[in-house]
Amino acid sequence: MIAKLSTLFVRTLRQDPADAEVPSHRWLVRAGYIRRAAPGIYTWLPLGLKVLQKVEAVVREEMEAMGAQEVHFPALLPREPYELTNRWTEYGDNLFRVVDRKGADMLLGPTHEEMFTLLVKDLYSSYKDLPLSLFQIQTKYRDEARPRAGLLRGREFVMKDSYSFDIDDAGLEASYQRHREAYIRIFTRLGLDFVIVAAMAGAMGGSRSEEFLAVAANGEDTFVRSPGGYAANVEAVRIAAPAALPLGDAPAMALVETPEVGTIAGVVDLMNSSHPREDRPWAGADTLKNVLFMVTDPDGTRRPLALGLPGDREVDLKRLEAALEPSEAAVFTPDDFEKYPDLHVGFISPVSLDGTRVLGEESATGIRYVVDPRVVDGTSWLTGANVVDHHLTGVTAGRDFTADGILDVAEVREGDPAPDGSGPLHLARGIEMGHIFQLGRKYADSLDLKVLDQNGKLVTVTMGSYGVGVSRAVAAVAEETCDDKGLSWPVELAPYQVHIVATGKDQAVFDKAFEIAGELEVSGVDVLVDDRKASPGVKFADAEIMGMPVILVVGRGLAEGKLELRIRATGEKSEIDVDHAVASLLAALGR
Ligand code: ATP
Ligand code: MG
């Protein structure tokens, strides 16, 4: 088709939108692809809508090719199914809740496991009906705490979600693999530089899960990779715990005076001058830092939690959040500390010099005490003494205290060993584009989805759930391809593949522009013709902002039979012959 820029519903902006944090957001707004309607909620303008539809088409084709069938659920859903799986509560503030005129609770769907499970339960009853994979491309609602970066994290967004139904584990594994392969094809076709990483199952429950991350400096996710092929979202990294040490070798606990040391580094420095070690200097990694959190469960219950970890590591709050989900944690406030007068900030220890336990479910405070996996039995630590201005040395795990559990949420650092021994970890950032889960029988159990097996026995169906961020993909591709002049779309996703800029006032130029556009249209190319009465400078700048992959300039050179072809992505310019214009353009489009 041919569109005229003189009538296209678009206005490019010379200024960045005030709330734009990342280039894709800035350019999608400035190029007239989207407009903000409310925080995290966007209106699609004609150019943006075309890209969205092209992403949808890629996703739809690949889902159909792998054998999934498309359905479409409402976004407005009843409460009951989400009550049965407890997600009405677990989703917490992220769920958009509405009440109908009769006072019945409803919600705007954040994801549709419950609805798909019930639909299949409604219609299917035999192993002969399985395997089955269903998908939809549908608008989702999540009242995100931090909507950001335009389409990257919206409160209303388009997702492709699919669900597989199998009779047994082998079937689920096969459905999962077919989705995984379809996702590889989808993200390859979208032109994204992506990695597949081990992921946390999070609120979905279930077991195996992987994420597809677009590699992007502005991504919100951090992932790690090793030379030997280990790859995981940092949230999912489970470090390899060192082997326990013999308790008999551990030094006895001893009290040391540590006045006026505000930080771990301060304690370490003081110890090196006042109590130097024989084997090597004291280091931050010798200290045991005890951090207190107040955890709030989805039902509102609050409970304290203490975490002991090597003092040279910070708690990674995203890893903590992922590990505790759906509960939420916040560091202890002064008010929280007031309830525990026995705890002295800066000098907290799981145990006192006299052996009295301070932290732990069995201790006087009753505060659950969990430790980093590095705190294995037999390791001795320099930690607080529960006495102001004092520390203890030789506090030994398994002898002086026993933790109530392990919590692996310390920061993962560049160069840390991969858990599988495949070399040092390298950290990078990415945008989560897709997520695939083996749900297993969690939803089928809660919602009682059973079918008859070969022996006429009722068995619970096993499920997978698979998501692609369709609207997020528009932004992720923009993020990867844009430059300091504007957007730059790959041919497959561009709203128009060719942008013809007609310059000057000569009618022959405009006639030629439309003639070439007409010929391209016959070849199935979508063309945007800038037929406006504007200066060449304005037209070139708009062509660069809007980002069609091939730009054709029809102008003064036409008198000599010459046109200029520009490749948006590379900035390459070449003079072409007007008689071979269409062939040159098709070649530039890779056709
Ligand atoms: P995130 O960790 O980014 O919040 P999620 O793990 O909650 O995402 P899923 O429930 O796995 O997301 O949803 C499937 C896909 O939907 C994600 O991989 C992502 O591409 C997309 N998606 C999720 N939340 C949003 C959002 N707020 N805006 C746009 N796309 C989103
Ligand atoms: Mg996810």
Side-chain angles (χ1 to χ4, degrees):
M1 66 168 291
I2 302 175
K4 297 178 186 173
L5 206 39
S6 59
T7 53
L8 186 68
F9 185 60
V10 64
R11 282 287 174 273
T12 55
L13 309 178
R14 297 287 158 235
Q15 304 261 296
D16 287 340
D19 59 341
E21 298 160 60
V22 299
S24 58
H25 182 195
R26 175 158 76 233
W27 291 121
L28 286 166
V29 173
R30 280 188 54 181
Y33 281 62
I34 57 170
R35 290 296 289 170
R36 194 181 87 140
I41 305 181
Y42 289 84
T43 306
W44 296 90
L45 302 183
L47 289 174
L49 192 58
K50 280 190 182 293
V51 181
L52 178 69
Q53 287 165 343
K54 289 189 179 193
V55 173
E56 283 184 16
V58 168
V59 172
R60 182 172 284 117
E61 268 175 49
E62 294 299 342
M63 292 313 297
E64 287 182 342
M66 63 76 74
Q69 299 174 60
E70 186 167 5
V71 298
H72 198 87
F73 274 90
L76 182 61
L77 302 171
R79 166 179 173 162
E80 289 71 27
Y82 288 79
E83 194 68 68
L84 291 171
T85 57
N86 204 33
R87 288 213 289 186
W88 175 260
T89 307
E90 282 180 7
Y91 249 106
D93 289 341
N94 263 10
L95 197 62
F96 273 108
R97 297 158 205 266
V98 286
V99 180
D100 74 8
R101 62 163 71 203
K102 297 200 180 95
D105 280 325
M106 304 192 76
L107 61 115
L108 297 176
T111 173
H112 280 67
E113 279 74 10
E114 287 80 352
M115 304 310 295
F116 274 81
T117 308
L118 289 174
L119 183 68
V120 173
K121 177 180 169 179
D122 204 8
L123 296 174
Y124 274 8
S125 56
S126 161
Y127 74 96
K128 291 182 199 146
D129 298 324
L130 305 180
L132 171 71
S133 282
L134 300 174
F135 78 100
Q136 63 175 347
I137 297 177
Q138 200 251 9
T139 306
K140 297 280 190 270
Y141 297 86
R142 294 182 186 179
D143 196 359
E144 299 275 357
R146 291 172 294 276
R148 72 177 278 279
L151 302 174
L152 284 180
R153 181 170 298 285
R155 296 197 297 161
E156 174 180 300
F157 58 96
V158 181
M159 193 202 289
K160 183 288 297 177
D161 47 327
S162 44
Y163 305 86
S164 65
F165 300 85
D166 282 277
I167 191 85
D168 56 24
D169 295 352
L172 170 57
E173 181 61 30
S175 295
Y176 182 88
Q177 285 305 333
R178 281 189 303 125
H179 271 90
R180 196 176 188 276
E181 283 153 24
Y183 276 35
I184 291 173
R185 286 192 296 273
I186 288 170
F187 297 120
T188 304
R189 279 181 67 181
L190 297 182
L192 287 168
D193 173 17
F194 68 95
V195 288
I196 305 175
V197 301
M200 293 277 285
M204 295 293 181
S207 51
R208 177 155 179 222
S209 117
E210 287 168 296
E211 282 167 356
F212 290 70
L213 303 181
V215 180
N218 286 318
E220 278 186 89
D221 284 83
T222 305
F223 67 94
V224 296
R225 265 190 290 198
S226 77
Y230 177 83
N233 190 310
V234 81
E235 294 169 0
V237 172
R238 289 294 152 259
I239 72 157
L245 304 174
L247 289 175
D249 297 350
M253 278 202 282
L255 189 69
V256 289
E257 215 177 314
T258 51
E260 289 166 31
V261 289
T263 60
I264 304 255
V267 179
V268 168
D269 285 349
L270 181 73
M271 289 298 289
N272 278 325
S273 53
S274 65
H275 298 79
R277 285 175 71 120
E278 281 166 16
D279 49 348
R280 57 175 173 79
W282 289 99
D286 297 319
T287 66
L288 180 67
K289 173 163 75 180
N290 298 294
V291 190
L292 280 122
F293 296 98
M294 188 56 75
V295 179
T296 308
D297 293 332
D299 65 3
T301 313
R302 284 159 59 83
R303 56 195 164 89
L305 178 72
L307 168 66
L309 75 163
D312 64 332
R313 302 230 172 212
E314 297 301 325
V315 176
D316 179 331
L317 293 177
K318 287 193 81 175
R319 273 165 53 76
L320 178 70
E321 189 185 311
L324 297 182
E325 202 187 319
S327 301
E328 285 169 11
V331 286
F332 251 40
T333 61
D335 279 354
D336 293 326
F337 274 112
E338 250 171 45
K339 287 176 213 129
Y340 297 95
D342 295 345
L343 299 180
H344 300 289
V345 183
F347 304 93
I348 299 171
S349 162
V351 63
S352 295
L353 182 62
D354 64 5
T356 321
R357 290 292 309 275
V358 181
L359 297 172
E361 283 166 352
E362 309 294 315
S363 72
T365 59
I367 298 177
R368 183 172 163 79
Y369 184 58
V370 291
V371 293
D372 182 87
R374 294 168 188 86
V375 186
V376 290
D377 282 359
T379 51
S380 296
W381 302 88
L382 167 61
T383 190
N386 293 307
V387 178
V388 174
D389 288 347
H390 288 78
H391 276 75
L392 291 173
T393 59
V395 175
T396 302
R399 181 191 69 190
D400 304 321
F401 68 91
T402 309
D404 299 315
I406 301 286
L407 188 61
D408 186 3
V409 297
E411 58 175 329
V412 176
R413 287 197 211 129
E414 184 78 22
D416 278 350
D420 64 356
S422 60
L425 294 176
H426 173 60
L427 271 74
R429 297 184 74 90
I431 301 168
E432 183 187 320
M433 300 310 311
H435 198 164
I436 56 180
F437 292 96
Q438 295 197 2
L439 293 175
R441 297 182 175 78
K442 176 179 155 154
Y443 290 87
D445 264 334
S446 313
L447 299 166
D448 200 31
L449 170 59
K450 292 193 170 81
V451 295
L452 290 171
D453 72 3
Q454 289 91 324
N455 309 315
K457 211 173 91 220
L458 272 178
V459 293
T460 304
V461 169
T462 180
M463 293 171 53
S465 143
Y466 317 87
V468 169
V470 174
S471 51
R472 179 177 282 186
V474 173
V477 173
E479 189 72 27
E480 189 166 319
T481 55
C482 73
D483 58 19
D484 58 357
K485 299 193 179 71
L487 297 169
S488 173
W489 296 108
V491 173
E492 178 142 15
L493 299 184
Y496 300 93
Q497 290 96 53
V498 176
H499 185 140
I500 302 184
V501 178
T503 64
K505 295 203 174 80
D506 186 355
Q507 189 54 41
V509 164
F510 287 78
D511 290 347
K512 182 52 83 178
F514 280 105
E515 187 189 318
I516 295 170
E519 287 174 46
L520 287 169
E521 185 186 29
V522 172
S523 304
V525 177
D526 293 330
V527 191
L528 179 62
V529 181
D530 191 346
D531 58 337
R532 295 174 301 173
K533 293 188 175 60
S535 75
V538 166
K539 292 185 171 190
F540 292 144
D542 278 349
E544 280 178 326
I545 289 184
M546 290 180 186
M548 305 318 147
V550 174
I551 300 165
L552 180 72
V553 185
V554 186
R556 231 179 292 147
L558 181 63
E560 286 85 54
K562 298 294 178 199
L563 309 176
E564 190 182 271
L565 192 153
R566 299 183 179 181
I567 305 298
R568 174 66 186 88
T570 59
E572 210 178 303
K573 294 179 185 174
S574 53
E575 201 178 66
I576 62 166
D577 216 60
V578 69
D579 297 330
H580 302 119
V582 172
S584 306
L585 287 163
L586 291 177
L589 292 170
R591 311 228 307 216

